[in-house]
mmCIF file of all heavy atoms in Angstrom:
data_model
loop_
_atom_site.group_PDB
_atom_site.id
_atom_site.type_symbol
_atom_site.label_atom_id
_atom_site.label_comp_id
_atom_site.label_asym_id
_atom_site.label_seq_id
_atom_site.Cartn_x
_atom_site.Cartn_y
_atom_site.Cartn_z
ATOM 1 N N LEU A 278 25.252 -10.220 -9.020
ATOM 2 C CA LEU A 278 26.550 -10.160 -9.697
ATOM 3 C C LEU A 278 27.697 -9.908 -8.716
ATOM 4 O O LEU A 278 28.853 -10.155 -9.030
ATOM 5 C CB LEU A 278 26.551 -9.046 -10.755
ATOM 6 C CG LEU A 278 25.616 -9.231 -11.950
ATOM 7 C CD1 LEU A 278 25.754 -8.051 -12.896
ATOM 8 C CD2 LEU A 278 25.918 -10.534 -12.689
ATOM 9 N N THR A 295 8.497 -0.573 8.917
ATOM 10 C CA THR A 295 7.149 -1.147 8.842
ATOM 11 C C THR A 295 6.615 -1.178 7.414
ATOM 12 O O THR A 295 5.631 -1.851 7.135
ATOM 13 C CB THR A 295 6.157 -0.339 9.714
ATOM 14 O OG1 THR A 295 6.256 1.035 9.352
ATOM 15 C CG2 THR A 295 6.467 -0.510 11.180
ATOM 16 N N GLY A 297 8.213 -0.740 3.064
ATOM 17 C CA GLY A 297 9.356 -0.443 2.211
ATOM 18 C C GLY A 297 9.351 -1.326 0.988
ATOM 19 O O GLY A 297 8.324 -1.892 0.616
ATOM 20 N N LEU A 299 12.109 -3.958 -1.672
ATOM 21 C CA LEU A 299 13.389 -4.606 -1.905
ATOM 22 C C LEU A 299 13.515 -4.883 -3.396
ATOM 23 O O LEU A 299 12.560 -5.347 -4.026
ATOM 24 C CB LEU A 299 13.484 -5.902 -1.112
ATOM 25 C CG LEU A 299 14.830 -6.649 -1.231
ATOM 26 C CD1 LEU A 299 15.236 -7.202 0.133
ATOM 27 C CD2 LEU A 299 14.779 -7.763 -2.250
ATOM 28 N N LEU A 312 12.010 -9.596 8.165
ATOM 29 C CA LEU A 312 11.261 -8.370 8.471
ATOM 30 C C LEU A 312 11.153 -8.287 9.981
ATOM 31 O O LEU A 312 10.420 -9.049 10.611
ATOM 32 C CB LEU A 312 9.881 -8.414 7.818
ATOM 33 C CG LEU A 312 9.867 -8.599 6.297
ATOM 34 C CD1 LEU A 312 8.446 -8.765 5.791
ATOM 35 C CD2 LEU A 312 10.519 -7.412 5.605
ATOM 36 N N ASP A 331 6.927 -6.130 -13.175
ATOM 37 C CA ASP A 331 7.958 -6.773 -13.993
ATOM 38 C C ASP A 331 8.803 -7.759 -13.174
ATOM 39 O O ASP A 331 9.971 -7.985 -13.471
ATOM 40 C CB ASP A 331 8.862 -5.720 -14.643
ATOM 41 C CG ASP A 331 9.551 -4.830 -13.605
ATOM 42 O OD1 ASP A 331 9.203 -4.942 -12.400
ATOM 43 O OD2 ASP A 331 10.421 -4.035 -13.988
ATOM 44 N N GLY A 334 12.728 -13.690 -12.283
ATOM 45 C CA GLY A 334 14.005 -14.267 -11.873
ATOM 46 C C GLY A 334 14.032 -14.944 -10.522
ATOM 47 O O GLY A 334 15.085 -15.437 -10.110
ATOM 48 N N LEU A 345 8.946 -24.064 4.095
ATOM 49 C CA LEU A 345 8.791 -22.967 3.141
ATOM 50 C C LEU A 345 7.466 -23.110 2.406
ATOM 51 O O LEU A 345 7.144 -24.182 1.886
ATOM 52 C CB LEU A 345 9.949 -22.978 2.132
ATOM 53 C CG LEU A 345 11.343 -22.669 2.685
ATOM 54 C CD1 LEU A 345 12.380 -22.779 1.582
ATOM 55 C CD2 LEU A 345 11.386 -21.288 3.323
ATOM 56 N N VAL A 349 4.807 -16.136 -3.871
ATOM 57 C CA VAL A 349 4.802 -15.547 -5.218
ATOM 58 C C VAL A 349 5.706 -16.402 -6.104
ATOM 59 O O VAL A 349 6.887 -16.558 -5.816
ATOM 60 C CB VAL A 349 5.336 -14.087 -5.210
ATOM 61 C CG1 VAL A 349 5.384 -13.527 -6.636
ATOM 62 C CG2 VAL A 349 4.477 -13.208 -4.325
ATOM 63 N N ARG A 385 19.517 -9.180 -17.772
ATOM 64 C CA ARG A 385 19.055 -8.512 -16.559
ATOM 65 C C ARG A 385 17.643 -8.947 -16.181
ATOM 66 O O ARG A 385 16.721 -8.853 -16.980
ATOM 67 C CB ARG A 385 19.088 -6.993 -16.764
ATOM 68 C CG ARG A 385 18.593 -6.237 -15.532
ATOM 69 C CD ARG A 385 18.639 -4.749 -15.749
ATOM 70 N NE ARG A 385 17.947 -4.050 -14.684
ATOM 71 C CZ ARG A 385 18.500 -3.121 -13.912
ATOM 72 N NH1 ARG A 385 19.750 -2.796 -14.101
ATOM 73 N NH2 ARG A 385 17.810 -2.529 -12.972
ATOM 74 N N LYS A 407 -10.030 -7.004 2.010
ATOM 75 C CA LYS A 407 -10.631 -6.842 3.334
ATOM 76 C C LYS A 407 -9.824 -5.849 4.156
ATOM 77 O O LYS A 407 -10.368 -5.042 4.895
ATOM 78 C CB LYS A 407 -10.698 -8.187 4.051
ATOM 79 C CG LYS A 407 -11.684 -9.173 3.437
ATOM 80 C CD LYS A 407 -11.643 -10.481 4.175
ATOM 81 C CE LYS A 407 -12.543 -11.503 3.494
ATOM 82 N NZ LYS A 407 -12.367 -12.836 4.070
ATOM 83 N N ARG A 416 -19.623 3.701 4.217
ATOM 84 C CA ARG A 416 -20.631 4.461 4.966
ATOM 85 C C ARG A 416 -20.038 5.831 5.249
ATOM 86 O O ARG A 416 -18.817 6.000 5.269
ATOM 87 C CB ARG A 416 -20.974 3.761 6.288
ATOM 88 C CG ARG A 416 -19.768 3.584 7.182
ATOM 89 C CD ARG A 416 -20.143 3.026 8.536
ATOM 90 N NE ARG A 416 -18.957 2.814 9.367
ATOM 91 C CZ ARG A 416 -18.328 3.764 10.032
ATOM 92 N NH1 ARG A 416 -18.765 5.032 9.956
ATOM 93 N NH2 ARG A 416 -17.268 3.494 10.770
ATOM 94 N N ASN A 420 -18.810 12.512 12.884
ATOM 95 C CA ASN A 420 -18.023 13.738 13.061
ATOM 96 C C ASN A 420 -16.683 13.487 13.745
ATOM 97 O O ASN A 420 -15.674 14.113 13.405
ATOM 98 C CB ASN A 420 -18.827 14.769 13.854
ATOM 99 C CG ASN A 420 -20.001 15.302 13.054
ATOM 100 O OD1 ASN A 420 -20.130 15.003 11.865
ATOM 101 N ND2 ASN A 420 -20.863 16.077 13.693
ATOM 102 N N ILE A 438 -14.880 15.177 -8.292
ATOM 103 C CA ILE A 438 -14.764 13.905 -9.009
ATOM 104 C C ILE A 438 -14.953 14.144 -10.501
ATOM 105 O O ILE A 438 -16.002 14.607 -10.938
ATOM 106 C CB ILE A 438 -15.803 12.886 -8.501
ATOM 107 C CG1 ILE A 438 -15.640 12.666 -6.991
ATOM 108 C CG2 ILE A 438 -15.677 11.563 -9.248
ATOM 109 C CD1 ILE A 438 -16.757 11.845 -6.358
ATOM 110 N N VAL A 456 -8.019 18.177 -8.302
ATOM 111 C CA VAL A 456 -7.660 18.685 -6.973
ATOM 112 C C VAL A 456 -7.512 20.205 -6.996
ATOM 113 O O VAL A 456 -6.793 20.753 -7.827
ATOM 114 C CB VAL A 456 -6.356 18.030 -6.484
ATOM 115 C CG1 VAL A 456 -5.915 18.623 -5.163
ATOM 116 C CG2 VAL A 456 -6.533 16.523 -6.362
ATOM 117 N N LYS A 489 -20.362 6.696 -6.826
ATOM 118 C CA LYS A 489 -20.881 7.324 -8.043
ATOM 119 C C LYS A 489 -20.287 8.716 -8.177
ATOM 120 O O LYS A 489 -19.848 9.318 -7.200
ATOM 121 C CB LYS A 489 -22.409 7.442 -7.994
ATOM 122 C CG LYS A 489 -23.168 6.120 -7.951
ATOM 123 C CD LYS A 489 -24.668 6.376 -8.089
ATOM 124 C CE LYS A 489 -25.470 5.076 -8.062
ATOM 125 N NZ LYS A 489 -25.543 4.491 -6.721
ATOM 126 N N GLY A 492 -21.522 15.861 -8.042
ATOM 127 C CA GLY A 492 -21.056 17.221 -8.294
ATOM 128 C C GLY A 492 -20.598 17.905 -7.014
ATOM 129 O O GLY A 492 -20.857 17.439 -5.905
ATOM 130 N N ASN A 500 -5.699 6.633 3.298
ATOM 131 C CA ASN A 500 -4.346 6.157 3.512
ATOM 132 C C ASN A 500 -3.782 5.513 2.260
ATOM 133 O O ASN A 500 -4.524 5.175 1.347
ATOM 134 C CB ASN A 500 -4.295 5.168 4.685
ATOM 135 C CG ASN A 500 -4.468 5.875 6.016
ATOM 136 O OD1 ASN A 500 -3.910 6.949 6.240
ATOM 137 N ND2 ASN A 500 -5.256 5.289 6.904
ATOM 138 N N LYS A 515 -18.247 21.724 2.131
ATOM 139 C CA LYS A 515 -19.020 22.692 2.936
ATOM 140 C C LYS A 515 -19.545 22.038 4.213
ATOM 141 O O LYS A 515 -19.596 22.675 5.269
ATOM 142 C CB LYS A 515 -20.165 23.294 2.114
ATOM 143 C CG LYS A 515 -21.227 22.342 1.646
ATOM 144 C CD LYS A 515 -22.318 23.089 0.874
ATOM 145 C CE LYS A 515 -23.540 22.250 0.587
ATOM 146 N NZ LYS A 515 -23.263 21.066 -0.235
ATOM 147 N N ALA A 524 -16.522 22.346 15.990
ATOM 148 C CA ALA A 524 -15.591 21.684 16.913
ATOM 149 C C ALA A 524 -14.536 22.667 17.410
ATOM 150 O O ALA A 524 -14.149 22.635 18.587
ATOM 151 C CB ALA A 524 -14.928 20.494 16.207
#
Side-chain angles (χ1 to χ4, degrees):
L278 294 180
T295 52
L299 183 139
L312 303 174
D331 59 352
L345 294 177
V349 177
R385 179 180 170 123
K407 291 178 185 171
R416 59 174 178 80
N420 291 353
I438 303 171
V456 176
K489 296 187 180 74
N500 288 318
K515 63 178 190 299

